[in-house]
Amino acid sequence: MGEGAGDCGRGRVTLQDVAAHAGVSRSTVSLVLRESPLVAAETRERVTRSMAALGYVYNRGAATMRGGRTRTIGLLVCEITNPFFAELTAGVDQVMDAAGCATFLANTGESADKQDRVLQRMREHGVDGVILCPAAGTPASLVGRMRDWGLPCVQALRHLSARDGDYAGSDYRLGMELVTEHLVRLGHERIALVGGTLNHSAWADRRAGFAAALKRHGLRADIVLRIPLTRRAGMEAAAALLARSERPTAAIAFNDIVAIGLMLGLSDRGVQPGRDFAVAGFDDVPEAAMARPALTTVATQPFQIGGEAASLLLRRIADPHGAPERVIVPTRLIIRESCGAVPRRERGRAPRSA
Amino acid sequence: MGEGAGDCGRGRVTLQDVAAHAGVSRSTVSLVLRESPLVAAETRERVTRSMAALGYVYNRGAATMRGGRTRTIGLLVCEITNPFFAELTAGVDQVMDAAGCATFLANTGESADKQDRVLQRMREHGVDGVILCPAAGTPASLVGRMRDWGLPCVQALRHLSARDGDYAGSDYRLGMELVTEHLVRLGHERIALVGGTLNHSAWADRRAGFAAALKRHGLRADIVLRIPLTRRAGMEAAAALLARSERPTAAIAFNDIVAIGLMLGLSDRGVQPGRDFAVAGFDDVPEAAMARPALTTVATQPFQIGGEAASLLLRRIADPHGAPERVIVPTRLIIRESCGAVPRRERGRAPRSA
DNA sequence: CGCGCATTTTGGATCGATCCAACAATCGCG
DNA sequence: CGCGATTGTTGGATCGATCCAAAATGCGCG
């Protein structure tokens, strides 16, 4: 069917074909495509009809060659199966879709090697910019290297250097101070921090907030466990916590997943979280409200962070030489049941959260 | 630094520049790039060094124009924040990364409109193919339309027509028969099915399996609830289940998230899942093994499905006119505690699963 | 009518890599 | 030495859209 250009499908309709069909020149069709006010209404109408009739598809690759942008960005996350990164991704997608940009996704799996490889590939594809959740072990020099490449980059959730480059994330430090203060107010003096095995800013910030809050009250921040960030590892960490000589009465986990595992491990050992032991999480994933007891945690709004990171990247692409920005999405302490009763015995049972 | 081509960064190094630096022609550099055996070892060496010295980046867009593939594919998922789709995405990423392809991700949010828009955009970017988890309400004609476009497409998890086009997914029907049989064997006669609000093949298949298994035993499949696929809706569905005149003794949920919500709702109402009421899930997300009681469910291995979908798409791109394939990843019934005791009273407490 | 001016339209050059046919260099061998 | 085969290398044309300077068109007005 149609102009009989090729044999069987790969005969793509070009702007030239549309021009011939509408009886105008390539240039005019190009102007119509880009909604230039220069073309007469009647001509525009005719060309538009020809495009529809031939089933024309814009070839963005060809357009790019003549010096333009690709309207394409890259998103590198550490672990897409982590709901936290999945939410971030959804936020990025929403903003980028609205801006008419397509997003390359790559799951680095915390491997700096894969991250390098993927970044290289995205460069070859000519992405206009990148949103990067740096894998643990990424050298801080990467930011400078990307600047040399002329590739706009927004770091998200984690950053390689405290002052360098664009960044969107939460104030983990403040969030951690909030929960820690909360536990101290409830009377806890021996509070454990249960973190991941990897070193990156999201961990350093949490740890700093934890230490700062305890220090303010003359308490020591010396109970720190480092375990894989899985439900199961959290469950197993309960034993380690209970076995300590000076047994802690509360624990704050790096994230909700670990906190929920921790609660399970505690109750499996006859220690009821929220009554015999306080547990707090971080992130406020949907699961947290549904846990039993419902989990006290710090909301970090990853979807919003994703949206902010995307908007910031679009701004940076439009103005590559602008001053670096750091967008901090506020955290909120969400008080539920899991830190409820300790150390005073509570009256009956804690109220259900809505 | 370097050749001083442009003013401040956008002066990209081209193949021509490399050629000049190495004292050969464009064509030779191009051959080196594509690892042709035609180039002399000494020349190859020299060119390689020049590329490194100038910081050359391959421009895949330009290469594409001359008729080649983009080495780019599109992945359209319904809801990336659903762990099931996130796992699928990770599986796709793994295979595509290994094949040197970049993946455009789009989150359609079950909107056929957004799906159309995104598909169009991906066509403009010249993707070599698409992995599509069709949004609910997608017209079955889409498969044919994509064929007309000459755009290879693998449907994943859901399909628009039972026989048309390439597909990778689980055998939901068989999986559902397995759980249903399991519950019947345990003595249940009034079993509820708790599904989502949307109509698509993943629901139709489950429902068919449920009905078939019950019919084999002369039981009626008439208790079917349709609720949003969230933990909270599952929790609220417990009330509806318990309120029915002929109260069911067991329920199978569309997925684990709903099942876990259901269990919470039941125990909040004093009905202990696994003892007073049997609950089964679907998918086997990590959370299922950690729930209390641990959830009996059907493992569907979304990561593997993603990998299979990606491999199939690569095959289809290599051979666009090959016969359609349907890859079915087997399901497994995972028996844990949540269907334990009913209807006979059980001795003591169910054993903990490892 | 011819000129200036505003409005539309146009063809050639261009982006950066690939394809292809042709060419240069080297070698074996009768 | 001449010829064909083999091995390396090359320049011109090409992909499809955009940029730009220039041309065509229409219109008002002295």
Side-chain angles (χ1 to χ4, degrees):
Chain A
M1 58 188 65
E3 302 291 286
D7 40 354
C8 71
R10 269 297 144 196
R12 204 164 166 168
V13 178
T14 85
L15 189 145
Q16 183 75 269
D17 302 331
V18 175
H21 186 271
V24 294
S25 74
R26 275 174 303 123
S27 306
T28 304
V29 180
S30 178
L31 290 171
V32 171
L33 272 177
R34 284 170 296 143
E35 306 189 323
S36 160
L38 287 177
V39 300
E42 193 267 339
T43 311
R44 179 194 317 281
E45 179 67 20
R46 194 148 38 90
V47 169
T48 307
R49 269 200 304 272
S50 292
M51 293 201 296
L54 298 179
Y56 172 72
V57 178
Y58 185 63
N59 183 335
R60 209 168 284 272
T64 298
M65 276 204 58
R66 199 60 179 69
R69 307 245 93 110
T70 56
R71 302 193 73 69
T72 275
I73 67 114
L75 170 61
L76 287 79
V77 299
C78 302
E79 190 46 75
I80 188 68
T81 56
N82 178 331
F84 192 69
F85 290 110
E87 288 278 347
L88 178 97
T89 303
V92 170
D93 177 89
Q94 189 186 58
V95 171
M96 283 303 168
D97 176 64
C101 285
T103 301
F104 283 115
L105 176 80
N107 194 29
T108 60
E110 298 285 9
S111 152
D113 277 359
K114 178 163 179 188
Q115 182 174 279
D116 280 349
R117 196 168 64 236
V118 157
L119 230 32
Q120 181 64 14
R121 180 138 68 223
M122 288 184 176
R123 247 171 25 115
E124 294 184 354
H125 281 292
V127 293
D128 295 336
V130 158
I131 295 173
L132 176 69
C133 306
T138 305
S141 58
L142 184 59
V143 181
R145 208 143 52 97
M146 294 182 74
R147 202 182 358 251
D148 291 345
W149 295 343
L151 184 60
C153 172
V154 171
Q155 298 167 76
L157 305 181
R158 306 172 180 176
H159 49 79
L160 296 170
S161 124
R163 298 270 157 260
D164 210 13
D166 293 300
Y167 171 75
S170 294
D171 195 335
Y172 299 121
R173 194 181 197 287
L174 181 60
M176 190 53 91
E177 290 190 42
L178 290 176
V179 232
T180 311
E181 287 281 355
H182 175 63
L183 287 169
V184 171
R185 261 197 310 277
L186 288 172
H188 294 277
E189 302 194 330
R190 297 196 51 74
I191 305 175
L193 179 63
V194 182
T197 53
L198 302 171
N199 290 315
H200 44 66
S201 67
W203 166 246
D205 289 354
R206 279 171 172 82
R207 184 153 184 178
F210 177 69
L214 288 184
K215 188 168 180 194
R216 258 200 300 278
H217 294 92
L219 298 169
R220 292 228 308 276
D222 55 349
I223 319 182
V224 176
L225 260 61
R226 307 203 61 178
I227 60 167
L229 295 178
T230 64
R231 220 174 298 259
R232 178 159 306 274
M235 205 170 100
E236 287 156 3
L241 240 35
L242 296 176
R244 291 185 74 99
S245 56
E246 284 192 274
R247 178 169 148 174
T249 61
I252 305 172
F254 183 93
N255 65 25
D256 290 346
I257 304 294
V258 170
I260 288 169
L262 203 50
M263 292 205 297
L264 286 168
L266 289 169
S267 41
D268 281 0
R269 285 172 182 76
V271 177
Q272 189 179 317
R275 194 193 64 187
D276 310 326
F277 198 104
V279 175
F282 215 99
D283 286 353
D284 194 31
V285 301
E287 208 178 329
M290 299 282 119
R292 292 294 176 266
L295 186 66
T296 290
T297 187
V298 177
T300 49
Q301 315 196 68
F303 185 89
Q304 280 79 353
I305 296 177
E308 291 293 346
S311 307
L312 175 49
L313 181 58
L314 291 172
R315 259 177 280 145
R316 180 62 57 241
I317 289 169
D319 172 22
H321 298 295
E325 294 182 39
R326 321 217 109 203
V327 179
I328 306 297
V329 174
T331 54
R332 279 201 322 279
L333 178 64
I334 311 285
I335 300 177
R336 298 205 180 93
E337 304 166 356
S338 63
C339 299
V342 179
R344 270 154 280 128
R345 279 277 107 92
E346 212 181 25
R347 65 283 164 256
R349 96 207 219 88
R352 282 277 129 88
S353 81
Chain B
M1 57 188 73
E3 302 291 284
D7 39 355
C8 71
R10 270 298 144 197
R12 204 165 168 168
V13 178
T14 86
L15 187 143
Q16 183 75 268
D17 302 331
V18 176
H21 187 271
V24 294
S25 74
R26 274 176 304 123
S27 307
T28 304
V29 180
S30 178
L31 290 171
V32 170
L33 272 177
R34 284 171 294 143
E35 306 190 324
S36 159
L38 288 176
V39 217
E42 193 266 342
T43 311
R44 182 194 316 281
E45 179 66 18
R46 193 148 38 92
V47 170
T48 308
R49 268 200 307 272
S50 292
M51 293 200 298
L54 297 179
Y56 171 72
V57 178
Y58 185 63
N59 182 336
R60 210 168 281 274
T64 298
M65 277 203 58
R66 200 57 181 72
R69 307 245 94 110
T70 55
R71 301 195 71 70
T72 276
I73 67 116
L75 170 61
L76 287 80
V77 299
C78 303
E79 191 45 77
I80 188 68
T81 57
N82 178 330
F84 192 69
F85 290 108
E87 288 278 347
L88 178 98
T89 303
V92 170
D93 177 88
Q94 191 187 58
V95 170
M96 283 302 169
D97 175 62
C101 286
T103 301
F104 284 115
L105 177 80
N107 195 29
T108 59
E110 298 285 9
S111 152
D113 277 358
K114 179 164 179 189
Q115 183 174 277
D116 280 348
R117 196 169 64 237
V118 158
L119 231 31
Q120 181 63 15
R121 183 139 66 222
M122 289 185 176
R123 249 176 17 120
E124 295 184 354
H125 282 291
V127 293
D128 295 336
V130 158
I131 295 175
L132 176 69
C133 306
T138 304
S141 58
L142 184 59
V143 181
R145 209 143 53 97
M146 294 182 74
R147 200 180 359 249
D148 291 346
W149 293 344
L151 183 60
C153 170
V154 171
Q155 299 168 73
L157 305 181
R158 305 173 181 176
H159 49 79
L160 296 171
S161 121
R163 299 269 157 259
D164 211 14
D166 293 299
Y167 171 74
S170 292
D171 194 335
Y172 298 122
R173 194 180 197 285
L174 180 60
M176 191 51 92
E177 290 190 43
L178 290 176
V179 230
T180 311
E181 288 280 355
H182 175 63
L183 287 169
V184 171
R185 260 197 312 278
L186 289 172
H188 294 278
E189 302 194 331
R190 296 197 53 73
I191 306 175
L193 180 63
V194 182
T197 53
L198 302 171
N199 290 316
H200 45 66
S201 66
W203 166 245
D205 288 355
R206 279 172 172 82
R207 183 154 185 177
F210 178 68
L214 288 184
K215 188 167 180 195
R216 259 200 299 279
H217 293 92
L219 297 170
R220 292 227 309 277
D222 56 348
I223 318 182
V224 176
L225 259 62
R226 307 205 60 177
I227 60 167
L229 295 177
T230 64
R231 221 174 296 259
R232 177 159 306 275
M235 204 170 100
E236 286 157 4
L241 242 34
L242 297 176
R244 291 184 75 100
S245 55
E246 286 190 275
R247 179 169 147 177
T249 61
I252 306 173
F254 183 92
N255 65 25
D256 289 346
I257 304 296
V258 170
I260 288 168
L262 203 50
M263 293 205 297
L264 287 168
L266 289 168
S267 41
D268 281 359
R269 286 173 182 76
V271 177
Q272 190 179 317
R275 193 192 65 188
D276 311 327
F277 197 103
V279 175
F282 214 99
D283 286 354
D284 194 31
V285 300
E287 208 178 330
M290 299 282 118
R292 291 294 175 264
L295 186 66
T296 289
T297 187
V298 177
T300 50
Q301 314 195 71
F303 185 89
Q304 280 79 353
I305 296 177
E308 291 292 347
S311 306
L312 175 50
L313 181 59
L314 291 172
R315 259 177 281 147
R316 178 62 57 244
I317 290 169
D319 172 21
H321 298 295
E325 293 181 42
R326 323 216 107 203
V327 179
I328 307 297
V329 174
T331 54
R332 278 202 324 278
L333 178 64
I334 309 285
I335 298 177
R336 297 204 180 92
E337 305 166 355
S338 63
C339 300
V342 179
R344 271 155 281 126
R345 277 280 104 93
E346 212 183 25
R347 62 290 162 251
R349 95 208 219 90
R352 282 277 131 86
S353 81

